[in-house]
Amino acid sequence: MPSDAAIGIFDSGIGGLSVLEHVRSLLPNENLVYVSDRAHLPYGEKDKDYILHRSRVITQFLISQNVKAVVIACNTATAAAVKDLRETYRLPIIGMEPGVKPAISLSKSGMVGVLATHGTLNSHKFKALLQQHADGSEIIICPCHGWVEAIERNGHDHQTTRQIVSQQLQPILERGVDTLVLGCTHYPFVKQMIADEAGAGISIIDTGPAVAKQLQRQLSAHDLLTEEAKPGREAFWCSAPPEQTQKRIERLLKVPVQVQLLPELD
Ligand code: DGL
C-alpha cells in the first residue's frame, strides 16, 4: 500500500545531508525526517558498542515518528549496526559502505585510495568487503582523523578544513592512486577540496546516488512509494543544541530550516 509516512535518515552529524540531497532529487515528493547525532560525534573514533547503541535509540526514535524506512546515512554506523537493526526491525533499513567495488572497476592503475573513518576501516564489514573485491588491486586506506570535526566545527569550505584535508591526502596521493573512494558521508562536502589537491585524472567515488537508488528500489518492492504529487517536507532533529547545526544545514541546502532538539534517548 503506498504510504505518505516519512523516510528516516540519520548520521552522526551533517554528513548524511550529502545522502539526503540525492534522496530529495530522486524522490521529490517523499517526506523526510533527518537526525543529526551531533552530541555524540565523531562516531569514527568511538567503539562499536557505543555506535550500535546510538543507532538503536535513533532508529527507535525515527520509528516513533512513524517512518516507513530508515537510511543509515553513515558508513561508520552501517558497519557497526546495520545487521543488528535489520534483525531487530521489520521496516526496510538501507545502509551504506565505501564504494570499493566501483572504484576497482574504474581504476586503470589498480591503485585505489579509501578515505573513511577509523571505525569504518577497522570494521569486520570493511575487511570482508576488501576480501570480496580487492583481489589484484592495491587498496590504500586513509583514516581521515579530524575531518568530520573540522567540517562540523569550521565548515566544509573553511581554510582550516582545507589544511587538514590537504595534509592527510598527500601521502596517499604520493602512492600513485588514480581513484579515491569517499567512504564517509561528510566527505562529499569537501569533494572539491579533494579534487583540487588530487589534480586532473583522479576519479572520486561517492556512493550517495547509489544509496538513494537502493532506497527507491526498496520502497517500490514494499509498495511504500508515496503517490503524493506535491513536494515532500523535511523535519530536522539534532542531539546537540540545534543553532549551529541549523546554520550548517541552511548553508549546505541553501534553504531556511528549523532544527529541533532531539529528546534524551537513553
Ligand atoms: N558521516 C559518518 C560516516 O559516514 C562518520 C562521522 C563520524 O565519524 O562521526 O562514516
Side-chain angles (χ1 to χ4, degrees):
M1 192 206 270
S3 164
D4 293 335
I7 296 158
I9 304 177
F10 77 90
D11 178 42
S12 63
I14 52 172
L17 295 175
S18 67
V19 178
L20 177 141
E21 284 185 312
H22 294 293
V23 171
R24 177 45 78 224
S25 67
L26 193 64
L27 302 167
N29 303 333
E30 297 288 350
N31 295 321
L32 309 176
V33 180
Y34 185 89
V35 174
S36 153
D37 196 16
R38 190 171 207 272
H40 299 267
L41 70 73
Y43 278 3
E45 305 291 328
K46 305 261 170 28
D47 67 36
K48 184 181 174 211
D49 287 346
Y50 188 93
I51 302 163
L52 180 56
H53 175 67
R54 293 306 303 166
S55 302
R56 279 185 186 148
V57 294
I58 292 168
T59 301
Q60 199 59 58
F61 169 77
L62 288 168
I63 290 171
S64 78
Q65 301 295 300
N66 273 329
V67 298
K68 59 186 174 185
V70 170
V71 179
I72 312 173
C74 175
N75 293 264
T76 316
T78 300
V82 70
K83 186 166 178 288
D84 178 276
L85 297 182
R86 284 188 181 140
E87 281 164 7
T88 310
Y89 302 105
R90 292 185 50 176
L91 76 179
I93 301 208
I94 291 84
M96 54 198 312
E97 64 186 16
V100 169
K101 198 177 157 198
I104 289 173
S105 340
L106 200 68
S107 171
K108 294 197 174 71
S109 66
M111 302 273 283
V112 168
V114 181
L115 311 173
T117 67
H118 175 80
T120 297
L121 296 172
N122 277 289
S123 65
H124 290 305
K125 200 165 185 302
F126 182 70
K127 287 175 185 154
L129 183 71
L130 290 191
Q131 230 161 35
Q132 210 184 337
H133 300 293
D135 211 19
S137 304
E138 190 163 350
I139 308 293
I140 298 150
I141 58 169
C142 177
C144 304
H145 293 295
W147 290 27
V148 167
E149 295 95 312
I151 293 165
E152 292 277 342
R153 205 170 299 137
N154 308 308
H156 65 289
D157 47 4
H158 195 274
Q159 198 45 35
T160 314
T161 309
R162 183 177 287 276
Q163 270 163 11
I164 293 173
V165 167
S166 150
Q167 259 169 18
Q168 293 184 33
L169 268 182
Q170 279 321 312
I172 192 170
L173 293 171
E174 279 162 17
R175 299 280 299 274
V177 299
D178 69 352
T179 310
L180 286 171
V181 174
L182 305 181
C184 166
T185 53
H186 280 74
Y187 306 165
F189 293 125
V190 290
K191 186 173 174 184
Q192 192 51 54
M193 279 182 191
I194 296 171
D196 293 346
E197 214 52 53
I202 297 216
S203 313
I204 300 178
I205 308 279
D206 171 15
T207 47
V211 170
K213 282 209 189 84
Q214 175 62 5
L215 169 66
Q216 185 184 42
R217 276 194 293 270
Q218 287 280 316
L219 292 178
S220 167
H222 291 85
D223 202 12
L224 288 172
L225 284 163
T226 184
E227 286 183 343
E228 196 49 77
K230 63 177 191 310
R233 294 180 307 273
E234 283 111 28
F236 295 95
W237 297 84
C238 180
S239 57
E243 294 71 25
Q244 189 164 19
T245 291
Q246 184 157 322
K247 273 194 222 140
R248 294 260 178 272
I249 296 179
E250 289 181 339
R251 263 193 79 202
L252 289 169
L253 301 186
K254 299 182 182 70
V255 287
V257 297
Q258 276 302 320
V259 180
Q260 303 176 72
L261 182 62
L262 197 68
E264 276 301 322
L265 296 175
D266 288 327

